[in-house]
Amino acid sequence: MSTNQRDIEELEKIQQQQHAQLFAELPRAVGLFKADLYLYQGSWLPPHILLGAMQLQTHFKHRSTDIFLSSFMKTGTTWLRSLMFTTLNRSRFDFSDHPLLRYGPHGCFPVVDVYQSTGYPIGDSEDLSFPRLFASHFAHNVLPASITDPSSGCKFVYVCRDPKDVVVSLWHFILKLRPKELPPVSFDQVFKAFCEGVTEYGPYWDHVLGFWKAAHESPDKILFFKYEDIKSDPEAHVKKLAEFMGVPISVQEEDNGMVKKIAEFCSFEHLTSLEINKTGFQKITSEYGIPNHAFFRRGEVGDWKSHLTKEMKEQIDRITHDKLKDSGLTIGATPES
Ligand code: A3P
């Protein structure tokens, strides 16, 4: 064995010991997918994501032009990925031979959350086009201050969604991805864990509030969207995205129907019709991946009505009301409505 190889193995051993010590010290809970969750800086994270957070915090080298898509799981990330990429690159690619058709929404730009065994976060890749787009489910306070500080120049698009629809979407996602050898989880279990905040990247409400407050402090750096608003007027949101990302829609583009074209290209109907989203696969770690079709289900507002009991609805609306009451933000219905 070469000296270099021995050094690498020694380093890996030390890192493993350090990680084992870190995990032993953190509060721990059962995760809904497969791995246990650890409470790190206020967020419940599985090990490979927790290590990813530390890696990002230590090593990520931002560029002032970087744009991040930030979201909690199941709030519309796949949709926003498509909209951001297509809007930003609308003059670069022909819609009939487009990266979205070949790679799918998750293949068009990287997620920075997952621990990279290379030792460096994925964002250090030099070959991404400019401005670089990244996606992350990390809470605002977990992201490195070097990028969240408005002086960094980095921008964020955030999307939130009615938590009642998020929990339903999450349950279906877990059903699709949980290893078959584990016992299935019931909707009641997922609902309880979600309300307690103990699901991957949870608590949901703290996640939303972190970005909401930051968006108020720096509206030019954080664009805050609600899934329901995009549903009711996708074209208006394409225009907002274009403006925010520094590539406003021109009068000529508008007259030529570009906004409508982008909205339709990224619509649920179009994305689900693509072969890449029926058969494609996203590699997450060397041992784990997610089939693209798992990111699509119904794509509707209010599907919670066919899953939540009256008591569940009241419980989750009460949490939302209590958590957001001083923030000026409303999502989903409040107990009074
Ligand atoms: P449902 O499970 O309610 O259908 P994420 O991308 O953050 O994982 O969120 C997934 C949710 O967004 C799923 O919600 C999925 O169906 C929906 N979705 C995916 N693509 C969409 C699109 N183009 N338009 C609207 N909703 C979409």
Side-chain angles (χ1 to χ4, degrees), residues 74-79 161 169 227 266 268 295 297-299:
K74 313 326 291 173
T75 55
T77 320
T78 309
W79 193 10
R161 189 180 187 188
S169 185
Y227 179 96
C266 301
F268 185 84
F295 293 104
R297 195 180 59 91
R298 298 184 70 118

Side-chain angles (χ1 to χ4, degrees), residues 71-83 105-106 137 159 161 165-166 168-170 172-173 176 227 231 263 266-272 294-301 303:
S71 61
F72 195 85
M73 290 173 69
K74 313 326 291 173
T75 55
T77 320
T78 309
W79 193 10
L80 259 295
R81 268 178 170 279
S82 315
L83 286 169
H106 290 262
H137 288 317
V159 59
R161 189 180 187 188
D165 281 335
V166 176
V168 169
S169 185
L170 180 64
H172 284 282
F173 194 57
K176 286 178 197 160
Y227 179 96
K231 271 303 264 193
C266 301
S267 68
F268 185 84
E269 292 68 28
H270 182 243
L271 293 183
T272 48
F295 293 104
F296 302 93
R297 195 180 59 91
R298 298 184 70 118
E300 287 169 8
V301 172
D303 188 38

